[in-house]
Amino acid sequence: MRSARDARASWELLEQAKSLADLRAAVGLGSAPATLVSGQRSACWKAFLLFENVDHAEWPSTLAESRSVYDSLRAHFLRAIENPDELESALDPLSENDESPWVGLRKDEALRAEIFQDVDRCMPDNTYFRQPDTQRMLLDILFIFCKLNPDVGYRQGMHEVLAPILWVVERDAVDPKAAGVDNRTQHKDLLLDMCDSRFIEHDTFTLFGLVMQNAKAYYEPSKTKQSSDAPMLVKCRHIFERLLPKADPELADHLKEIEVAPQMFLM
């Protein structure tokens, strides 16, 4: 998290862009000072993925809608997890009837336990990802995504896509209280709205969902009879066995010599 003053220092990058093409060129390698790009990385992601324009007048309503959607999803999918006492007490908690809410709760708890195994292993040397609140956000976001995408469910490695998004959104966030904004009122400062620390989890979920619109296919089970491997593994092998030897034969030979599996550095 950072101060509003630090956030404003890099806000000019978004203010000067007249189109997404301008913004894309501005954040290109070496096109703008690293401090400007890194200071508004999450805002640029929102511009490219969520807003799909640089019309600042439209941003607040789109942002508010995405945050409201996450609030609704969270309330719906986490209600039984966070408030198990609200389940019908007249029903047998040990019932195996698929219609029983207790069966659904046990399945959800099993899914969360599976996800948390990866969350707990996420970037073990980074203290940020050891914090309970960070792990809770990772767990809840991945759980809700899985509930929305039962055709895919949870696949190992999804946490590695989510983690850097959360890291950047949190780093770019501004505490509205420290910036002099009352929690009971809606501020009209676009920068503070974009970087509001009260919505770190909301914005991370939205960005993750947008990224996964394209990445989801790599986690789906193979649909061909020729291979039972996931598309992600097939893609990794293609890069490792076909593309890398052409682009960097020395590196390709070295990785083969030390027997590094392609998915270990490509996923």
Side-chain angles (χ1 to χ4, degrees):
M1 206 172 298
R2 58 187 173 160
S3 68
R5 181 179 180 180
D6 289 340
R8 293 189 196 285
S10 56
W11 186 245
E12 65 181 79
L13 190 69
L14 286 110
E15 287 185 325
Q16 294 174 356
K18 302 301 180 184
S19 67
L20 286 179
D22 286 348
L23 184 58
R24 190 172 291 109
V27 299
L29 185 62
S31 299
T35 52
L36 290 185
V37 177
S38 62
Q40 290 298 338
R41 194 179 302 277
S42 64
C44 290
W45 289 350
K46 290 170 187 172
F48 290 129
L49 299 174
L50 177 61
F51 307 133
E52 298 184 300
N53 62 55
V54 292
D55 184 353
H56 294 184
E58 295 182 7
W59 288 6
S61 59
T62 303
L63 196 58
E65 182 180 0
S66 71
R67 290 167 174 173
S68 177
V69 166
Y70 183 68
D71 276 333
S72 298
L73 291 172
R74 204 178 191 290
H76 176 68
F77 289 119
L78 293 179
R79 180 177 178 180
I81 292 290
E82 296 181 341
N83 303 285
D85 293 341
E86 293 183 3
L87 294 179
E88 293 185 47
S89 58
L91 298 174
D92 181 5
L94 300 180
S95 171
E96 296 299 327
N97 188 328
D98 289 341
E99 301 298 321
S100 170
W102 293 100
V103 171
L105 177 59
R106 287 196 291 273
K107 289 181 179 178
D108 286 350
E109 289 175 337
L111 173 59
R112 288 173 67 84
E114 178 187 357
I115 295 171
F116 189 74
Q117 287 182 338
D118 276 353
V119 168
D120 195 41
R121 291 192 290 256
C122 183
M123 302 186 190
D125 296 329
N126 189 319
T127 56
Y128 173 70
F129 292 100
R130 301 298 94 214
Q131 297 173 13
D133 194 51
T134 300
Q135 294 187 336
R136 179 200 59 76
M137 286 191 286
L138 289 171
L139 175 59
D140 288 350
I141 290 171
L142 288 168
F143 174 72
I144 293 172
F145 175 82
C146 292
K147 296 293 287 185
L148 289 172
N149 297 272
D151 55 322
V152 176
Y154 181 71
R155 293 289 183 270
Q156 189 173 16
M158 286 182 176
H159 69 295
E160 294 176 342
V161 177
L162 174 60
I165 298 175
L166 176 59
W167 168 273
V168 170
V169 173
E170 170 100 33
R171 185 196 59 187
D172 287 353
V174 174
D175 183 350
K177 288 184 178 179
V181 176
D182 191 325
N183 274 344
R184 295 169 297 180
T185 62
Q186 290 292 326
H187 54 72
K188 296 182 179 180
D189 188 315
L190 179 58
L191 182 149
L192 295 181
D193 195 20
M194 288 277 285
C195 304
D196 195 329
S197 63
R198 294 172 294 184
F199 301 103
I200 290 172
E201 185 176 338
H202 302 66
D203 294 351
T204 300
F205 172 82
T206 298
L207 290 170
F208 175 69
L210 291 167
V211 169
M212 289 300 291
Q213 285 182 3
N214 291 322
K216 176 183 172 182
Y218 292 119
Y219 294 94
E220 293 174 342
S222 175
K223 297 179 181 179
T224 65
K225 295 181 179 180
Q226 288 78 12
S227 173
S228 60
D229 289 340
M232 177 69 82
L233 294 177
V234 175
K235 185 74 171 179
C236 287
R237 280 202 296 268
H238 175 70
I239 294 172
F240 186 73
E241 297 172 1
R242 300 291 182 86
L243 303 183
L244 184 59
K246 295 179 181 178
D248 193 334
E250 184 178 352
L251 175 60
D253 290 341
H254 174 67
L255 292 174
K256 287 181 179 179
E257 182 180 346
I258 61 176
E259 299 182 345
V260 173
Q263 61 267 28
M264 293 301 293
F265 70 98
L266 289 172
M267 288 181 68

